Amino acid sequence: MKFFIDTANLQQIKEAQDLGILDGVTTNPSLMAKEGISGYDNVMKHYKAICEIVDGDVSAEVIATDYDGMIKEGEALADLHEQIVVKVPMIKDGVKAIKYFSDKGIRTNCTLIFSSGQALLAAKAGATYVSPFIGRLDDISTDGLRLIEDIRIIFDNYAYDTQILAASVRHTMHIINCAEIGANVMTGPLSAILGLLKHPLTDSGLAQFLADHAKSNK
Ligand code: G3P
């Protein structure tokens, strides 16, 4: 499973990249706003800076919600850097835009997926990734992981190339569960990724090894 980090924070992206396990970055307008990035030129500059830190795919979201606007913005984003994947919302014009981008060889990430039907539609339009938001489904007492399972079955039935990018991952167990189910990618916060490191027996075992080594090397 590929690991993407879901942030526009350059420090956190660097930290994940330095760990050697980062496969890409996802952003959205809320995450850009959180970092105080505004204005077209600054936004484009920030995407470029992200691409220079990571080796993998960087999802950059269009703001327009009409077909022509999404095409214009998406083409500019794709031209910015070869690592950019154009993030398009799951709306009617978005599906048309994904088909257009796919025919032109521009990679896409269909975002705001909350049902398997939406994922199927995005795959048929040729999306590179679909992003089911599992945490937001959990928030409304609906099983987000179950959606990943349902999409996995559908994509496997028809051998769709579209990758399942489990998004809105909130904690470490989400990552493990996504890997068990067979999500192709997960995107989440750095804290959830670092949570995979933790086990008290690792800490106590290491402390014991070091203590024994110190005793016999006095
Ligand atoms: O990748 C989608 C993500 O940014 C949404 O996460 O935590 O706002 O639901 P969250």
Side-chain angles (χ1 to χ4, degrees), residues 8 10 32 35 37 41-50:
L10 299 182
M32 294 293 273
E35 299 307 316
I37 314 296
D41 289 346
N42 288 335
V43 166
M44 296 301 257
K45 233 191 270 167
H46 200 76
Y47 284 138
K48 218 164 178 187
I50 294 174

Side-chain angles (χ1 to χ4, degrees), residues 5-7 26-28 30-31 61 87 109 111-112 114 131-137 139 165-170 187-189:
I5 189 169
D6 195 30
T7 184
T26 50
T27 63
N28 63 38
S30 304
L31 294 171
E61 188 158 341
K87 208 171 178 188
N109 174 357
T111 189
L112 292 165
F114 292 96
S131 285
F133 278 30
I134 63 175
R136 291 194 192 183
L137 281 170
D139 286 345
L165 194 171
S168 185
V169 159
R170 300 272 176 78
T187 190

Side-chain angles (χ1 to χ4, degrees), residues 69-117:
M70 282 190 261
I71 299 304
K72 195 172 161 217
E73 278 182 38
E75 286 185 329
L77 287 167
D79 279 349
L80 188 67
H81 201 283
E82 61 192 9
Q83 286 165 242
I84 294 278
V85 174
V86 179
K87 208 171 178 188
V88 178
M90 172 33 78
I91 53 177
K92 199 171 176 188
D93 277 14
V95 173
K96 280 171 63 182
I98 288 168
K99 173 70 178 141
Y100 171 89
F101 289 133
S102 155
D103 288 346
K104 283 199 77 177
I106 293 174
R107 293 170 312 135
T108 54
N109 174 357
C110 186
T111 189
L112 292 165
I113 296 276
F114 292 96
S115 76
S116 51

Side-chain angles (χ1 to χ4, degrees), residues 5 12 170-172 175 188-196 198:
I5 189 169
Q12 289 187 17
R170 300 272 176 78
H171 50 75
T172 304
I175 301 179
L190 181 61
S191 58
I193 296 172
L194 295 179
L196 293 167
K198 291 180 195 154

